[in-house]
Amino acid sequence: MNSCRDRISARQLGALALSSSGVPVFRFCCRIPWLWTLLGAGAAALTLSGLTLLLNRRGGRRLRPCRLWALTPILTVGGAATAWVGSFAFPETAGNWLAALLLFGLAAAAARIGPAAAGRCAGILLWTTGVLYGIVLLFSLPQVHPAWLLPRSGSPADAAKVWAAMLIPGGALCLTDALGEDQKLPHWPWWAAALTAAAASAVTGGILSPALAGEREAFRTLARGVSVLGVMRRFEALVNGAMLMSAFCLSAMLLTAAWKNRKRDCKQGSIQ
């Protein structure tokens, strides 16, 4: 039973990585001008894809680059910080320590069970968050002002910030040794996340004024004005739920990676 819990499929790991990207994409990248977001997110996807290719090569997993004790506290702090960010998913719980602790507790419980638990959760939540984010982006398109999409602001520093933010879901690379022997970490999560970041930035910047587009809650502000066929409005509650689910996936992924990094796999220990 333990061996099954310590395993995760390539599809589940890809879903976990992509679901986790919702936090940097919709909390930060959507506030950066789309051109610099595209460049930064593309550079991050290229970086993570290169690391994925390296780990997928024959013998690449034997290097165990993530089995370093120094990474355990870093990944744990990252999981806790993500839980704190997740408390801001709903305005009513913004900065509430109890909400952050509850989210951290759920993520830690999933990590304690093993990669399989986090992978199964992400396999379901990816579709849910994808639909919720997609509704807002799709039905916002008619309101985009093409003139506001002209690249008039931003700097290479913004692209560097996006690059750093989009590397965070790369924590999934620390779980490659939990894959089956015949499975490899896919490349598609990195490129899908980059395209989503560019789309979210373009829609946010093309609808909101430059001042509003740069605010911390820009995507939530965007969701308030979305309407479906002129009837349904105020989708921010759905976006809030999607952000909470994305924060859970990212926190669970980082904590799972920290747990796997600390714990010696029984199978590997018997071989050694």
Side-chain angles (χ1 to χ4, degrees):
M1 182 178 295
N2 290 335
S3 61
C4 294
R5 291 178 175 179
D6 288 338
R7 292 298 177 187
I8 187 172
S9 69
R11 181 179 298 179
Q12 289 175 334
L13 187 54
L16 185 59
L18 185 56
S19 300
S20 301
S21 68
V23 176
V25 167
F26 295 100
R27 290 292 300 177
F28 174 72
C29 295
C30 65
R31 296 151 42 195
I32 305 296
W34 71 268
L35 178 59
W36 301 109
T37 297
L38 179 62
L39 293 175
L46 187 61
T47 302
L48 293 174
S49 188
L51 292 173
T52 300
L53 181 63
L54 178 63
L55 290 175
N56 284 339
R57 285 183 179 274
R58 180 177 298 180
R61 291 180 196 165
R62 297 176 187 173
L63 299 176
R64 306 292 184 197
C66 296
R67 270 194 196 284
L68 300 175
W69 287 99
L71 281 181
T72 300
I74 296 176
L75 292 169
T76 303
V77 170
T82 302
W84 170 251
V85 172
S87 71
F88 289 84
F90 288 87
E92 296 80 5
T93 61
N96 188 306
W97 282 102
L98 179 58
L101 286 174
L102 288 174
L103 182 58
F104 180 80
L106 289 174
R112 179 65 180 83
I113 294 174
R120 286 193 296 267
C121 290
I124 298 174
L125 296 180
L126 176 61
W127 293 102
T128 305
T129 56
V131 169
L132 296 179
Y133 289 134
I135 288 175
V136 175
L137 293 175
L138 180 63
F139 287 97
S140 296
L141 291 178
Q143 305 175 45
V144 172
H145 303 281
W148 288 359
L149 294 177
L150 297 178
R152 298 172 179 172
S153 61
S155 66
D158 292 323
K161 294 176 183 178
V162 171
W163 174 79
M166 294 301 292
L167 287 180
I168 297 176
L173 294 173
C174 294
L175 294 174
T176 53
D177 61 331
L179 291 170
E181 293 298 329
D182 58 340
Q183 297 194 34
K184 296 181 179 181
L185 179 65
H187 295 262
W188 59 264
W190 319 129
W191 298 103
L195 291 176
T196 303
S201 176
V203 171
T204 304
I207 294 179
L208 302 180
S209 65
L212 288 177
E215 291 185 351
R216 178 176 298 180
E217 303 297 338
F219 197 75
R220 201 197 313 269
T221 302
L222 172 69
R224 292 194 186 106
V226 176
S227 63
V228 178
L229 302 177
V231 179
M232 298 177 62
R233 285 185 175 273
R234 301 189 67 84
F235 278 86
E236 70 270 22
L238 299 180
V239 170
N240 294 343
M243 288 185 176
L244 182 63
M245 288 182 273
S246 297
F248 166 77
C249 288
L250 181 56
S251 183
M253 182 191 70
L254 295 175
L255 293 177
T256 302
W259 181 262
K260 286 288 291 181
N261 189 64
R262 183 196 66 83
K263 171 183 162 184
R264 289 286 182 180
D265 185 88
C266 296
K267 181 179 178 181
Q268 291 296 328
S270 62
I271 293 177
Q272 293 174 359

